Amino acid sequence: MKLNMKKTAILLSLLLMAFSASATTPAEQKESKSEVKQHLQNHFKLYGFIRNYFAFDSRESKAGTGDLFYYLPLDNKWNADKSEDLNASPNATLLALTSRVGLDVSGYYYKNVHFGAKFEADFYAGLSSASSAVDLSGNTKVSGTAQMRLRQAYATVTWKDLPLCGEQKAQVGLKMGQAWHPMAADFPHLFSLEVGAPFGPFSRTPQVTMDASLGKNWVLSASAIWQMQYQSAGPSGASASYIKYALTPEVYLGVTYKHKGFLGRLGADILSIKPRNVGENAEGLEVHVKDRKTSLLYYAYLQYNKGMFSFRAKTTYGEGGEHLSLMSGYAKVGELEDGTWQYASLRNSSSWVSFSYGKKWQGVLFAGYMKNLGLADPADADLLSKSGDGKITPDVYFNTNGSTNINQMYRINPQLLYNFGKFSIGLEYQWTAVQYGDYKKVVRMKDGNPVLDDKGKEVKDSYVNKHALATENLHWVGNHRVNMMVKFTF
């Protein structure tokens, strides 16, 4: 009996719902749909683009994202009789995997507190690069099927119209989630995927960022940052575990001044990581260790716009920064009896400048320069000599997209774009040159050839640069890249 009553109650409820829906007039239904449409238009904005790249390189290079995110040309790789450089292999690719979709959410508020969010994704995930099995061992191939990956996903809370001095108002905003690193958020005018990296910071990462706008001209910023896709180097390779076990977030502090067409920023970033959690003490016993590596990085950014002309420039100086796509890192410089390792960061100076003019036809010129300044503190020569080749050793931890034997590098990059409404076509030429060398002098060289003694044997030296800076056998390697882009924005 109770079961029948329950069934009867459910049927009555369904009949009432059906009657209510049928009783709604067409005008009311139309008004309801209009309200929903208006709500979506007021609070949600879908955006994105379809983008195709074609890229040609004159030699083997280090590049990510299907070889579209360009870093640098690889060093010479001579065959047995040194008659050919096996890395001098032209190659080309055509891909649309950087097409993007995003959603902005805004317009929700309670009194003077406003709420918003952003979600953004592209389709690179699922692809991987692997060494080719053919004779040209330097070649790589991309395999897999592109899948959607997370780029940005964060929520915002903003307190507006806060009292300041006089008639001026203040505004304080919080950003929580995956977003551009504060030092990477300002880009040159380039349409190429790497937009100036590795001559400037490039990273999207989990964070909590506060921006306090004090009147019309000044903004103070502070961030607590973690790592996800862009990671620190270390004994176990690139990993987010080093900051995980450090128990201290990366901290950024910055100030911005803006007035009419001018904008300037100054910022400092401090990162303290724990490269190892467990090690061996002097007795060979496995124990928890007290490893700690702390680095400080500074940057400055300038921007000026007037009419169709725009100028931008950025420079970074300091220690480390490999987790920001900079060509840097750190090294082990000593050991303690309790098993703890001591570290020193590589110092690095990286800068870029870009100019843009035009709107429908847009011309762009970019120039970047990077200088490796070596370790901030000298290392034990024995620790830097283990590999014997002076290039990659187990005790120097460098950006995985670079090489420890880089002394300096530069890039010249002109571009031409044609913008027709939502449709854009771009063409660029990019020349990137790297000065490679050795920081361990194994064989004495002269004019690119080994020096021989009276018996015809190579003269070997025991010199080691204790700052892990390549100063021996310096030579330049360059790559010509031609990049074309077709893009439709929606």
Side-chain angles (χ1 to χ4, degrees):
M1 184 68 179
K2 290 183 178 179
L3 184 62
N4 289 334
M5 291 180 65
K6 286 184 178 179
K7 287 182 177 180
T8 303
I10 292 172
L11 288 172
L12 286 172
S13 298
L14 291 172
L15 287 171
L16 286 171
M17 290 173 63
F19 176 78
S20 177
S22 63
T24 305
T25 65
E28 289 174 328
Q29 291 178 5
K30 185 176 180 181
E31 184 178 351
S32 177
K33 290 181 180 178
S34 177
E35 289 177 355
V36 172
K37 182 179 179 180
Q38 190 65 38
H39 180 86
L40 292 174
Q41 291 177 343
N42 290 342
H43 299 287
F44 298 89
K45 180 183 178 183
L46 182 70
Y47 67 91
F49 51 74
I50 307 299
R51 182 169 60 182
N52 284 267
Y53 280 114
F54 170 82
F56 165 84
D57 292 302
S58 62
R59 69 177 288 112
E60 289 287 347
S61 300
K62 190 68 178 181
T65 315
D67 289 341
L68 299 180
F69 194 109
Y70 191 82
Y71 286 99
L72 46 81
L74 297 179
D75 197 359
N76 297 324
K77 184 178 182 180
W78 299 107
N79 58 4
D81 64 359
K82 295 189 176 181
S83 61
E84 279 192 278
D85 176 8
L86 300 181
N87 279 337
S89 301
N91 54 89
T93 187
L94 172 65
L95 291 169
L97 54 84
T98 64
S99 297
R100 188 176 305 165
V101 64
L103 178 68
D104 284 327
V105 182
S106 62
Y108 292 99
Y109 62 92
Y110 175 75
K111 296 183 178 180
N112 69 329
V113 184
H114 292 243
F115 303 90
K118 176 187 282 289
F119 175 83
E120 188 177 85
D122 63 12
F123 300 91
Y124 176 60
L127 295 180
S128 62
S129 296
S131 297
S132 176
V134 298
D135 292 337
L136 293 177
S137 57
N139 290 352
T140 58
K141 62 181 180 181
V142 175
S143 61
T145 301
Q147 304 169 4
M148 182 174 284
R149 68 163 180 174
L150 177 71
R151 281 175 55 88
Q152 297 190 81
Y154 61 81
T156 60
V157 181
T158 306
W159 290 263
K160 294 187 176 182
D161 298 325
L162 300 176
L164 198 59
C165 57
E167 297 181 355
Q168 296 203 48
K169 299 290 184 180
Q171 176 177 298
V172 177
L174 284 180
K175 180 190 297 180
M176 298 160 286
Q178 168 86 355
W180 284 105
H181 191 287
M183 294 181 74
D186 300 302
F187 304 109
H189 302 89
L190 302 175
F191 67 74
S192 48
L193 193 60
E194 71 277 0
V195 286
F199 300 94
F202 188 102
S203 170
R204 293 180 301 274
T205 190
Q207 62 187 270
V208 177
T209 293
M210 181 211 71
D211 292 313
S213 299
L214 307 178
K216 297 180 179 180
N217 303 114
W218 294 95
V219 180
L220 300 180
S221 301
S223 300
I225 303 167
W226 286 261
Q227 295 180 7
M228 189 177 73
Q229 179 184 356
Y230 300 88
Q231 303 166 342
S232 295
S236 300
S239 174
S241 294
Y242 310 131
I243 193 171
K244 172 183 175 181
Y245 289 102
L247 301 178
T248 54
E250 179 182 355
V251 175
Y252 167 82
L253 298 173
V255 58
T256 299
Y257 176 79
K258 50 187 179 180
H259 179 68
K260 294 183 178 179
F262 173 82
L263 183 146
R265 299 192 206 277
L266 292 174
D269 185 85
I270 185 168
L271 174 66
S272 185
I273 60 175
K274 193 171 186 177
R276 296 183 313 145
N277 191 39
V278 175
E280 290 187 359
N281 60 19
E283 289 76 35
L285 182 66
E286 197 170 41
V287 295
H288 282 105
V289 293
K290 301 176 182 177
D291 287 30
R292 176 73 62 171
K293 196 279 294 185
T294 302
S295 57
L296 186 60
L297 192 65
Y298 305 93
Y299 98 112
Y301 173 77
L302 294 176
Q303 174 181 300
Y304 178 74
N305 300 315
K306 186 174 183 180
M308 291 190 293
F309 172 78
S310 179
F311 163 80
R312 298 174 188 173
K314 181 184 286 188
T315 184
T316 60
Y317 172 81
E319 302 174 353
E322 75 280 0
H323 66 297
L324 297 174
S325 303
L326 297 176
M327 289 296 110
S328 191
Y330 61 99
K332 173 186 173 183
V333 297
E335 297 182 13
L336 301 179
E337 290 188 359
D338 65 355
T340 298
W341 289 1
Q342 297 173 310
Y343 303 91
S345 294
L346 286 165
R347 295 166 299 160
N348 175 283
S349 176
S350 298
S351 303
W352 58 256
V353 60
S354 73
F355 303 88
S356 173
Y357 184 82
K359 188 174 182 181
K360 188 171 184 179
W361 285 96
Q362 183 182 4
V364 173
L365 179 61
F366 170 90
Y369 177 75
M370 185 283 291
K371 182 70 173 73
N372 185 354
L373 301 172
L375 293 173
D377 299 308
D380 185 332
D382 292 336
L383 297 178
L384 297 176
S385 306
K386 289 185 177 180
S387 71
D389 62 5
K391 295 180 180 179
I392 302 175
T393 80
D395 299 304
V396 179
Y397 313 113
F398 204 78
N399 185 315
T400 55
N401 294 302
S403 178
T404 61
N405 64 321
I406 295 174
N407 183 290
Q408 58 185 324
M409 63 183 290
Y410 70 89
R411 178 177 297 167
I412 304 295
N413 189 179
Q415 290 186 352
L416 180 64
L417 290 95
Y418 177 70
N419 301 303
F420 183 72
K422 295 181 177 296
F423 188 74
S424 298
I425 300 175
L427 174 66
E428 76 167 355
Y429 166 73
Q430 186 183 103
W431 166 253
T432 304
V434 180
Q435 187 181 48
Y436 289 102
D438 299 330
Y439 57 77
K440 181 172 187 285
K441 194 173 182 180
V442 180
V443 178
R444 188 179 301 175
M445 304 290 289
K446 184 177 181 181
D447 299 328
N449 299 308
V451 175
L452 305 179
D453 61 16
D454 296 338
K455 297 181 180 181
K457 295 183 178 180
E458 295 178 344
V459 178
K460 295 186 177 181
D461 295 309
S462 59
Y463 169 79
V464 174
N465 187 307
K466 293 184 178 182
H467 289 275
L469 179 62
T471 56
E472 303 297 321
N473 307 325
L474 295 175
H475 56 281
W476 287 94
V477 176
N479 176 66
H480 301 276
R481 164 167 277 218
V482 177
N483 193 19
M484 290 179 280
M485 178 205 68
V486 176
K487 178 181 177 183
F488 179 79
T489 304
F490 59 86

